Amino acid sequence: MNVFYEEDGGFKVGNVMQAAEASYQVEAISGKRSKIKAANVLLKFTEPSLADFLPRAEAAAEEIDISFLWECCGEEEFGFEQLAEDYFGHKPSGVEAAAVAIRLHSAPMYFYRKGKGRYKAAPEETLKAALAGLEKKRLQAEHAAQYVEQFARFELPDAFKPLVMQLLFKPDKNTLEFKALDQACKELQLSPLRLFERCGALPNAHDYHLQMFLMEYFPKGTGFPEAPATPITDELPLATAEAFSLDDSSTTEIDDAFTVTSLNNGHWRIGVHIAAPTLGILPESPLDQLVMQRLSTVYFPGNKYTMLPDEVVQRFTLQEGKTCPAVSMYIDITPEFDVVNTESRIEQVKIAANLRNDILEAQFNDDTLTNNTDGEYPFKAELRLLWQFACAQEKRRGKYDPNRPQQVDYNFQVDNDRIRITTRKRGSPIDKLVSELMIFVNCEWGGLLGKKNIPGIYRAQANGKVRMTTSPSPHQGLGVPQYAWSSSPLRRAVDLINQRQLIALLHDAPPTYPKGSSVLFEAMRDFDATYNAYLDFQDGMERYWCLRWLKQENITEIGGVVLRDGQSVRLTGIPFVTKVAAMPELAPGTRVELIVGEVDYLSREVDCKFKGVAAAPVEVLAEESDDDHARIDADDTSETSDTAPPEADDHPAEAGSDNPV
């Protein structure tokens, strides 16, 4: 006797070797013996042969019309043999009954399994929905196959044209398009980015890098919603002296300006005046919420996205010819440049001039000051005194080092899709003047908040590690007991928050953010992450434009300097570091000549090959001092550099132009 039985979700046949009440011992066609439950046996048969039974039943099952079978069965639960008799119109043979069982088992959408050999027809509406879903999957599979074929020919399917950036940035892995793209990438052994590149979907690498950044940090676009500033109702006193600012020609967010007046006792009074947008931005107002979303202005070559709407910037920027609200610190100094007193005020300041560094630096530089050949220029006496005070302050901080190797900052200017990269000496008199005054006021205001037990947001550094904190802590890199970013409230949310706390202190009012404020902690955390991401984006876009410059200038060979890892080279004339293939082991500082190969704008890399050691002296590489790491914490150039690397400049780049590329 042979049996047809169900096991492991399928059907099998076997010859009964031994039978018991609840089980059988059977032998398969292969000769393998096994023990099965009697309840799993659906049919017993003697013919056809064991070898022929299952193939004939499966062939017969293929011929059964499943739709007709569903129509025959009615709504009640049934056994497969009963349905086989109704379907064939006679008592079914073993093969026919098995064929119906196999067909029922293969169509779970049509028939619900209710037990061994027993089924129930699916309701009509449920079946229609299931069939519609099946048809949808079939069509999707066809479309996916078509997409994969097009990708194999490196053609971009029309359906993918509006989805390219989304699929690269944050793909929905449940969509048909993602599954087709994923399959094509596996078959072609390419990444999605490289496949889209081969298909011509990324004609502009600049826009690709920009859009990837915008999708992450500006998903709703870079425009501003309606968020006007609040009118200032307090009548502010007017400063007695008129101020001047020092910024690059492209700077629009002018945060700081200066005054110098002589006192009757032979001392001098230096005024540092910081724009006061907090007077018109109420906490938790729509404009304040916007600030806490953006957290900082974003700079990159050719463009910028400001933290504040342009109309708000124009209202509070320290623009030449305007009288502007400001938070001022007055610093009384002796002729020997010792500080004898400081005083902070909230007032209005008349801005007499916006001096532009790229123009002023031709006369106000190390050589002209040393040789006393600087000639005549606006505010000459004031600038000279501020520079002398800055030099004295640098020495007091313990950061004066005349033997430090000269370093440069790089300016990027984009005009009609052409790039111009220029250099300027880091630590020039303008740099030093502005940075030292900003370090001084940020240290003093941070100390003032600390003395009054008012929380603020501080930058602290110990053992080379920089962190943000809400209580005053030393900053070893700057050589100061505390440092609270407060001098760039038009461009950084942290400075705006600290200015709010300072104004409350000067008004003898409760602080906006009391001790333990969750808003303060959240703003500090979010700012730290976002600001670093903005700087990374700026670095990446500068790398892109360095590569564009290489191609634009038809550079086929270029010099460089081996860095400390012995594998990387800093290219000459541009802020670009790259690994060099097949370069021998050379001492750090060795000058080398390289052959410039293929440029990849998407990965922002260039294939450079070692040509030889240059006939030039070894460069003394600047040590990575605490002060170098700390330069990001000092408002050291007040945006004097268009696109200075963030390590060099607490006022990140103005990016050469306010106009997009």
Side-chain angles (χ1 to χ4, degrees), residues 449-486:
L449 291 175
K451 288 176 185 177
K452 297 295 184 179
N453 208 26
I454 294 175
I457 299 180
Y458 296 83
R459 299 276 289 186
Q461 186 189 38
N463 301 320
K465 295 182 179 179
V466 178
R467 62 188 176 91
M468 299 188 79
T469 175
T470 58
S471 57
S473 299
H475 195 302
Q476 292 178 349
L478 293 175
V480 293
Q482 67 278 318
Y483 190 83
W485 266 343
S486 310

Side-chain angles (χ1 to χ4, degrees), residues 621-640:
L621 297 179
E623 293 290 340
E624 288 192 347
S625 68
D626 287 342
D627 191 49
D628 290 330
H629 287 298
R631 291 182 68 87
I632 189 173
D633 291 323
D635 288 278
D636 63 349
T637 61
S638 189
E639 295 177 277
T640 59

Side-chain angles (χ1 to χ4, degrees), residues 99-127:
V100 170
I102 293 171
R103 195 69 177 107
L104 289 169
H105 192 76
S106 69
M109 283 193 304
Y110 285 84
F111 302 100
Y112 300 154
R113 190 168 179 271
K114 309 301 286 187
K116 298 293 183 181
R118 297 197 63 77
Y119 297 87
K120 184 176 181 178
E124 183 175 1
E125 292 303 318
T126 305
L127 178 60

Side-chain angles (χ1 to χ4, degrees), residues 117-366:
R118 297 197 63 77
Y119 297 87
K120 184 176 181 178
E124 183 175 1
E125 292 303 318
T126 305
L127 178 60
K128 286 181 178 179
L131 291 174
L134 186 64
E135 178 64 11
K136 181 180 179 180
K137 289 183 179 179
R138 185 189 67 80
L139 293 174
Q140 287 180 338
E142 287 184 1
H143 287 143
Q146 293 171 2
Y147 293 153
V148 172
E149 288 178 5
Q150 286 181 272
F151 278 127
R153 299 192 298 269
F154 299 112
E155 298 173 1
L156 183 68
D158 290 340
F160 283 74
K161 291 179 180 178
L163 302 175
V164 170
M165 295 307 298
Q166 179 183 334
L167 287 167
L168 290 173
F169 176 62
K170 281 187 178 178
D172 182 350
K173 296 185 178 182
N174 294 318
T175 62
L176 169 66
E177 289 78 13
F178 173 80
K179 293 175 181 177
L181 175 64
D182 186 55
Q183 182 180 344
C185 288
K186 289 176 180 177
E187 292 182 5
L188 297 170
Q189 296 186 331
L190 292 172
S191 68
L193 177 62
R194 293 305 178 184
L195 179 53
F196 280 137
E197 180 188 24
R198 292 287 298 273
C199 293
L202 301 170
N204 190 320
H206 176 278
D207 288 351
Y208 161 73
H209 294 302
L210 178 59
Q211 289 304 315
M212 291 294 281
F213 171 76
L214 294 179
M215 290 178 74
E216 175 73 21
Y217 293 97
F218 294 85
K220 296 181 180 179
T222 57
F224 290 93
E226 187 69 23
T230 302
I232 300 174
T233 56
D234 294 341
E235 188 171 339
L236 302 175
L238 180 65
T240 55
E242 295 188 355
F244 62 91
S245 66
L246 295 168
D247 293 279
D248 188 76
S249 293
S250 60
T251 302
T252 58
E253 300 156 287
I254 303 174
D255 290 290
D256 45 77
F258 311 98
T259 56
V260 177
T261 54
S262 60
L263 302 178
N264 293 333
N265 59 1
H267 292 182
W268 296 93
R269 174 166 292 168
I270 295 172
V272 180
H273 310 280
I274 305 299
T278 51
L279 296 175
I281 304 176
L282 298 181
E284 299 185 1
S285 65
L287 188 53
D288 183 54
Q289 292 173 12
L290 185 62
V291 168
M292 296 308 163
Q293 290 170 7
R294 295 209 171 194
L295 295 167
S296 170
T297 292
V298 183
Y299 300 96
F300 58 101
N303 204 356
K304 66 177 179 180
Y305 300 125
T306 58
M307 180 179 75
L308 293 169
D310 185 61
E311 59 270 20
V312 178
V313 171
Q314 293 306 314
R315 179 173 174 184
F316 292 102
T317 188
L318 304 183
Q319 183 68 42
E320 180 178 321
K322 292 174 55 180
T323 299
C324 306
V327 179
S328 302
M329 176 178 286
Y330 289 98
I331 311 163
D332 292 352
I333 62 172
T334 67
E336 293 75 35
F337 305 106
D338 294 320
V339 177
V340 294
N341 186 52
T342 62
E343 179 187 356
S344 297
R345 305 175 190 167
I346 305 168
E347 59 186 2
Q348 295 187 85
V349 180
K350 177 67 180 296
I351 308 301
N354 294 141
L355 303 183
R356 298 303 182 177
N357 303 327
D358 41 339
I359 299 173
L360 178 63
E361 200 159 37
Q363 293 174 284
F364 190 72
N365 57 58
D366 282 319

Side-chain angles (χ1 to χ4, degrees), residues 6-73:
E6 186 177 349
E7 185 177 76
D8 298 330
F11 297 106
K12 298 180 180 179
V13 292
N15 178 247
V16 178
M17 305 300 295
Q18 185 177 349
E21 183 177 348
S23 63
Y24 294 96
Q25 186 176 14
V26 298
E27 183 180 58
I29 299 172
S30 63
K32 179 183 177 182
R33 294 188 177 187
S34 57
K35 185 178 182 180
I36 64 172
K37 293 181 180 180
N40 289 348
V41 174
L42 301 179
L43 285 174
K44 298 175 182 177
F45 63 94
T46 55
E47 53 180 46
S49 67
L50 189 65
D52 292 337
F53 185 89
L54 200 55
R56 287 174 59 179
E58 290 173 343
E62 290 293 326
E63 297 177 0
I64 294 176
D65 184 340
I66 194 66
S67 298
F68 180 66
L69 194 65
W70 178 81
E71 292 173 359
C72 292
C73 67

Side-chain angles (χ1 to χ4, degrees), residues 342-593:
T342 62
E343 179 187 356
S344 297
R345 305 175 190 167
I346 305 168
E347 59 186 2
Q348 295 187 85
V349 180
K350 177 67 180 296
I351 308 301
N354 294 141
L355 303 183
R356 298 303 182 177
N357 303 327
D358 41 339
I359 299 173
L360 178 63
E361 200 159 37
Q363 293 174 284
F364 190 72
N365 57 58
D366 282 319
D367 292 338
T368 58
L369 291 172
T370 301
N371 299 319
N372 204 26
T373 57
D374 47 336
E376 295 300 319
Y377 47 87
F379 297 94
K380 175 179 178 178
E382 291 87 344
L383 286 167
R384 273 185 162 270
L385 184 136
L386 291 176
W387 174 63
Q388 290 171 318
F389 174 69
C391 292
Q393 283 301 114
E394 183 183 42
K395 292 177 181 177
R396 288 190 182 97
R397 291 192 301 113
K399 300 302 175 181
Y400 175 69
D401 181 6
N403 298 317
R404 179 182 298 168
Q406 182 64 59
Q407 294 175 283
V408 298
D409 293 329
Y410 295 87
N411 303 334
F412 289 73
Q413 295 177 327
V414 180
D415 186 17
N416 293 325
D417 210 32
R418 288 185 63 82
I419 180 66
R420 180 168 174 259
I421 303 175
T422 57
T423 60
R424 62 190 304 274
K425 289 182 180 180
R426 182 182 294 180
S428 67
I430 293 177
D431 285 358
K432 184 177 295 187
L433 184 161
V434 177
S435 66
E436 288 299 332
L437 286 169
M438 295 305 110
I439 291 171
F440 185 89
V441 298
N442 287 330
C443 172
E444 289 295 310
W445 277 334
L448 186 58
L449 291 175
K451 288 176 185 177
K452 297 295 184 179
N453 208 26
I454 294 175
I457 299 180
Y458 296 83
R459 299 276 289 186
Q461 186 189 38
N463 301 320
K465 295 182 179 179
V466 178
R467 62 188 176 91
M468 299 188 79
T469 175
T470 58
S471 57
S473 299
H475 195 302
Q476 292 178 349
L478 293 175
V480 293
Q482 67 278 318
Y483 190 83
W485 266 343
S486 310
S487 51
S488 298
L490 292 174
R491 301 180 292 106
R492 284 193 305 241
V494 165
D495 300 60
L496 189 141
I497 287 171
N498 284 336
Q499 187 179 88
R500 230 175 232 156
Q501 300 292 80
L502 179 63
I503 287 176
L505 183 153
L506 296 177
H507 279 155
D508 199 21
T512 305
Y513 310 100
K515 274 204 165 187
S517 168
S518 62
V519 176
L520 192 68
F521 279 101
E522 289 170 7
M524 179 179 70
R525 177 200 63 203
D526 294 345
F527 176 84
D528 198 28
T530 303
Y531 192 66
N532 286 327
Y534 288 178
L535 293 179
D536 288 343
F537 168 67
Q538 179 182 339
D539 287 345
M541 295 308 290
E542 290 179 359
R543 281 185 70 85
Y544 166 82
W545 282 108
C546 285
L547 296 175
R548 287 286 301 270
W549 181 84
L550 290 174
K551 283 295 185 181
Q552 173 187 291
E553 302 300 320
N554 296 315
I555 304 297
T556 57
E557 295 185 6
I558 194 168
V561 176
V562 178
L563 300 184
R564 296 184 187 282
D565 64 2
Q567 300 174 342
S568 301
V569 173
R570 184 184 68 237
L571 303 188
T572 301
I574 56 176
F576 196 96
V577 173
T578 186
K579 301 283 187 182
V580 177
M583 185 171 69
E585 186 174 341
L586 297 170
T590 302
R591 299 180 187 272
V592 295
E593 295 177 351

